[in-house]
Amino acid sequence: GEEKGPQQVTMVIARSKKQEEEEEEEEEEEEEEEEEEDQEEEEEEEEEEEEEDGEMNEVALQCVLKDDFVNFSVLVGVGLDPSSWVDENGMTLVHWAACNGSPKVLAFMLKRAPHMAGLLNKWG
């Protein structure tokens, strides 16, 4: 082949560096897009979990109000944390069970989480 002069070699090197920089920029953009997509997926999963938790908590409250020990224990078995449910007045499921006269569910919760006996609501 033909020998390239210093100017041609410099141009080839410059083109090569420019291509390398463009490829690096493309890779960075792709990585950023992937990170954004991952973050969006995580946010969607968190929202779904919050919705599921909200539904589970609503069912749990209904079980407490009906003293439905069987279904309440099933909810706990699939991940319900009775101590995580607190309403705007500081009422926990233990408070609702005690106020509503739900002895089976109340005994079940206190046996599994005795610390809940000392929780206070906004009225003390």
Side-chain angles (χ1 to χ4, degrees):
E2 289 181 30
E3 285 190 32
K4 296 182 180 183
Q7 188 175 12
Q8 288 175 318
V9 170
T10 303
M11 289 174 58
V12 168
I13 292 172
R15 263 191 251 129
S16 177
K17 284 185 178 179
K18 186 174 181 180
Q19 285 176 337
E20 198 174 288
E21 288 172 359
E22 288 173 355
E23 287 172 2
E24 285 177 5
E25 285 178 16
E26 285 177 17
E27 286 176 15
E28 287 176 8
E29 288 174 8
E30 287 174 7
E31 286 176 7
E32 287 175 9
E33 287 175 10
E34 287 176 12
E35 287 176 9
E36 287 175 10
E37 288 173 6
D38 289 346
Q39 187 174 0
E40 287 174 9
E41 285 177 17
E42 286 176 17
E43 289 172 2
E44 287 174 9
E45 288 173 6
E46 287 175 9
E47 287 174 10
E48 287 174 9
E49 286 175 11
E50 287 175 9
E51 286 176 20
E52 289 172 7
D53 288 348
E55 291 171 11
M56 190 182 301
N57 287 337
E58 184 59 36
V59 173
L61 179 59
Q62 293 306 311
C63 290
V64 167
L65 297 177
K66 296 175 185 171
D67 199 24
D68 183 352
F69 166 76
V70 173
N71 285 318
F72 188 82
S73 62
V74 169
L75 288 174
V76 171
V78 296
L80 172 72
D81 176 7
S83 62
S84 69
W85 191 96
V86 181
D87 72 10
E88 64 276 0
N89 294 314
M91 293 282 285
T92 65
L93 291 174
V94 166
H95 292 118
W96 281 105
C99 291
N100 196 59
S102 301
K104 293 176 191 169
V105 173
L106 180 59
F108 178 77
M109 282 190 283
L110 292 178
K111 185 175 180 182
R112 292 183 66 89
H115 69 279
M116 290 183 70
L119 298 177
L120 303 177
N121 60 24
K122 88 174 201 180
W123 301 285

